């Protein structure tokens, strides 16, 4: 760890980002400069000595729900969405390794030529060796989102919190991009997120986090240095907890 690295109380965290976060202003697909910018955010936290897990959505390439809504069989559409997350994970791995950070892509769907299979003990060992672990292909099951996958893996890896990187700096009672009077929460309970349908994560993910007392910290991924700053106790964010 660099001597000037700020102190943090976190030893191991899960970073959950959407696939849309990787597409920049393109509206679709991968935007390599945006992938590299996010990789540098991860690098800055890695330099603090924090062990990092990641789950990246696939919505920039394919969304299972949208495919299903257009007449595609839901299970097939969901598997296609899982494959999209593997593509995003490989792109992020490439950027991180370009920055000198050892990274492993660990897939819930077996594809030995491009990713490791998910074996919990092996993944934990990678983290202990300060490798970034990107968990791809969701849970390996249809009908479960990458939000649920992130919460599941965070619990299995004994992460201390899920950091959900979004376009806004926390959880609001309504869309702050549409309503000037939107109110941001500093703290909100799991039950309020579910009851008020605040859209932090899907209900299965929130319930799983609540049942295991795993806090979710929602922050803006568009804010340069935001991920590192929040781990240092600075910045604006919302904490979802019991």
């Amino acid at each position: 760890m660099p001597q000037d690295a700020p102190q943090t109380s976190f030893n191991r965290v899960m970073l959950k980002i959407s696939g849309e976060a990787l597409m920049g202003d393109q509206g679709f697909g991968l935007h390599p400069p945006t992938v590299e910018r996010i990789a540098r955010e991860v690098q800055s936290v890695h330099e603090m000595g924090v062990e990092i897990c990641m789950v990246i959505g696939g919505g920039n390439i394919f969304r299972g729900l949208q495919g299903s809504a257009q007449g595609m069989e839901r299970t097939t559409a969901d598997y296609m969405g899982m494959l999209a997350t593997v593509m995003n994970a490989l792109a992020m791995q490439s950027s991180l390794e370009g920055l000198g950070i050892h990274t492993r892509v660990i897939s819930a769907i077996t594809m030995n030529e491009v990713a490791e299979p998910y074996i919990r003990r092996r993944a934990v060992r990678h983290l202990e060796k300060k490798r970034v672990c990107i968990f791809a292909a969701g849970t390996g099951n249809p009908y479960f989102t990458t939000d649920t996958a992130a919460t599941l893996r965070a619990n299995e890896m004994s992460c201390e919190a899920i950091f959900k990187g979004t376009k806004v700096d926390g959880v609001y009672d309504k869309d702050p991009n549409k309503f000037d009077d939107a109110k941001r929460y500093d703290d909100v309970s799991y039950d309020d997120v579910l009851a008020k349908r605040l859209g932090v994560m899907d209900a299965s993910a929130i319930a799983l986090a609540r049942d295991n007392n795993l806090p979710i910290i929602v922050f803006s991924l568009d804010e340069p240095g935001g991920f590192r700053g929040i781990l240092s106790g600075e910045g604006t964010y919302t904490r979802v907890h019991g």
Side-chain angles (χ1 to χ4, degrees):
M1 186 192 310
Q3 288 186 351
D4 60 348
Q7 296 299 306
T8 176
S9 60
F10 293 97
N11 296 309
R12 182 179 296 171
V13 300
M14 167 65 73
L15 174 62
K16 167 63 172 72
I17 61 177
S18 67
E20 288 88 345
L22 303 185
M23 66 188 184
D25 296 326
Q26 293 181 148
F28 182 81
L30 284 156
H31 183 236
T34 300
V35 177
E36 183 176 347
R37 178 183 66 78
I38 295 172
R40 289 191 181 279
E41 293 283 323
V42 174
Q43 179 191 34
S44 69
V45 170
H46 185 264
E47 289 173 348
M48 298 167 71
V50 178
E51 297 170 6
I52 303 168
C53 305
M54 292 183 71
V55 168
I56 306 171
N60 56 318
I61 298 170
F62 188 85
R63 275 190 175 278
L65 272 174
Q66 288 180 356
S68 176
Q70 293 172 18
M72 187 176 290
E73 198 266 324
R74 171 68 189 268
T75 306
T76 299
D78 278 357
Y79 279 122
M80 291 172 67
M82 290 179 217
L83 296 179
T85 72
V86 177
M87 295 172 69
N88 285 338
L90 291 172
M92 182 59 65
Q93 179 186 42
S94 178
S95 282
L96 286 167
E97 292 194 334
L99 297 172
I101 299 171
H102 295 296
T103 307
R104 296 290 185 272
V105 173
I106 300 171
S107 174
I109 296 175
T110 305
M111 47 183 82
N112 291 331
E113 288 77 11
V114 298
E116 290 187 8
Y118 176 68
I119 300 171
R120 180 185 170 274
R121 288 178 179 272
R122 181 187 291 178
V124 169
R125 188 71 181 125
H126 286 321
L127 291 170
E128 290 171 350
K129 291 181 176 180
K130 304 302 180 186
R131 296 165 182 161
V132 172
C133 288
I134 307 175
F135 296 101
T139 66
N141 302 287
Y143 296 95
F144 288 92
T145 67
T146 51
D147 281 343
T148 303
T151 310
L152 174 65
R153 297 294 185 236
N155 279 307
E156 289 180 296
M157 295 296 108
S158 301
C159 292
E160 293 149 340
I162 299 174
F163 284 75
K164 173 94 185 260
T166 68
K167 294 282 186 185
V168 293
D169 59 354
V171 179
Y172 287 78
D173 60 351
K174 48 191 162 185
D175 189 342
N177 295 317
K178 296 179 181 177
F179 300 95
D180 292 336
D181 62 342
K183 172 193 169 188
R184 186 181 64 78
Y185 298 94
D186 287 326
D187 291 271
V188 64
S189 70
Y190 303 113
D191 289 337
D192 279 347
V193 167
L194 291 171
K196 297 177 182 178
R197 299 188 177 186
L198 295 176
V200 178
M201 288 181 162
D202 67 80
S204 297
I206 294 295
L208 184 57
R210 179 190 61 192
D211 292 348
N212 293 278
N213 200 29
L214 180 68
I216 303 164
I217 295 169
V218 183
F219 71 104
S220 173
L221 200 62
D222 291 341
E223 185 69 30
F227 187 26
R228 179 186 175 103
I230 289 166
L231 277 158
S232 306
E234 303 166 358
T236 304
Y237 57 90
T238 298
R239 183 183 179 92
V240 182
H241 56 94

